Amino acid sequence: MNRLPTPPGQSGHSRRTFLTRVGGAALVPAFGSVLAGCGGEGDGGPAGATSGTVTFIYYGDAELQKSYDKLFTKFREQYPEITLKAQGIAADSWAEFANTVATRLAGGQSLDVVQIATEGQRIFASKQLLEPLDPYIEKDKAAVDAYYADTPPNLRKWLQEYASPDGKTYFMPGGYNTMAMYLNTDLFAKAGLEIPQAWTWEEFRAAGKTIKEKTGAFLGVAGEGYFTDVMAWLTNNGTSALSADWKTAQYDSPAAVEALTFARSLVVDGLAPKPGGSFEAPALMAQGKLATFGGGRWPTNDVRRVKFIDKVQLVRWPKNAGVGSPVGWDAWPILKQSKNKDAAWTLIKYLISEEFGDAITAGGGNAVPARISDAKSPEFLEDAPKNTELLQELLEGATPIPGPDRGAECQKVIEEAWLQGVSGTKEPQAALTEANAKLQELLA
């Protein structure tokens, strides 16, 4: 089965990191040089011929390029007057992808539509790089309304709240990822443990001790990944690194310190591997060395690859003072500098169509499909870990991954402090207090 584009957000092997480790100093000058060449808001509005060349940039390697080319065969047949250039950018992370896009824009390359994950959406909108979609949405209201009716309302709400600084619509929502726990049912059975429907931190620790004693396996949940580690522990303790409006740092709150202290204790007690080094969770799970690891939809293809899908079940992340999942999503905008905005909108209409949604779901995509009908389809739920429908359920009450204007720098601070605490190079309180001060400066 072909692997389709790396999902809202993480690298193909690990986690959601759009703009991670890309400092604002690296991106803002590139964006700034683009603005001088941008046309006015009315340039290339919804009226006009849908023809010409459209360049669509997404995160993907040569293998994914082949998959996308197959997906766009029907588009090219339906719109022969549009020359579609769908280009994947191979990168080790969403950060590297973002840097490449910024460099191309600064160099004057004409880009029309770009796949953008949650953490990058506000910075693209705030730098006035995007064309408002409202006139196009009004023109094709029936098609858009049909799409919205089949997509989770939260996705549209969050895009308006976080990625529309002036109240205009700049993005159409794509697929998303919530965070569940992949669980090795074989190891749990060998340890004499039942599969938990819901569990607390202490119940999770107790299960880890039993599994370690009886099988020697670890719990793989004490890394420094923003999406897969930090946010999952914070949201299940009723907190986040930033306030809900992303304006205030709260990374040194008692709840955050408690979460980091607990994650550190798993390493100290020998229940989780020490952070650092290479860590291929699906392969280790198939080898019987790993009982759990965190992930959204994206690890499913790797679990298939190691032929271990029948021994894996998704369960909720263990909770303490609160329950909730982090969430991130893809979205599609039209760049303001596009010379073929009408044709670009025609492409976005295809991306939100039922036809495209069905095709990408059948192709084994790495995210939960935006369309509810696709997320509940046999094509999505079959040949997948048991209880994969949990990924949809977790969207209710989920917490968006913070992505403020200087989100890249914020994320770097957040991950570095968590790693310091988990590895023991700093006490959790000291690591988070220092990080919180840095975050507040970045948010000012």
Side-chain angles (χ1 to χ4, degrees), residues 7 22 51 108 110 148 152 192 209 303 345 426:
V22 181
S51 61
S110 180
Y148 283 154
K209 288 182 177 179
V303 176
W345 172 250
K426 285 187 180 180

Side-chain angles (χ1 to χ4, degrees), residues 294-344:
R297 171 66 170 187
W298 71 89
T300 293
N301 278 328
D302 287 327
V303 176
R304 289 170 178 156
R305 176 177 52 80
V306 297
K307 305 185 186 310
F308 200 66
I309 204 80
D310 293 337
K311 298 296 182 80
V312 178
Q313 180 169 334
L314 299 190
V315 299
R316 291 179 180 272
W317 201 268
K319 66 177 182 177
N320 190 42
V323 99
S325 168
V327 61
W329 57 89
D330 276 348
W332 301 298
I334 296 175
L335 271 67
K336 183 170 286 189
Q337 50 104 289
S338 169
K339 297 177 182 178
N340 293 293
K341 296 185 179 69
D342 297 325

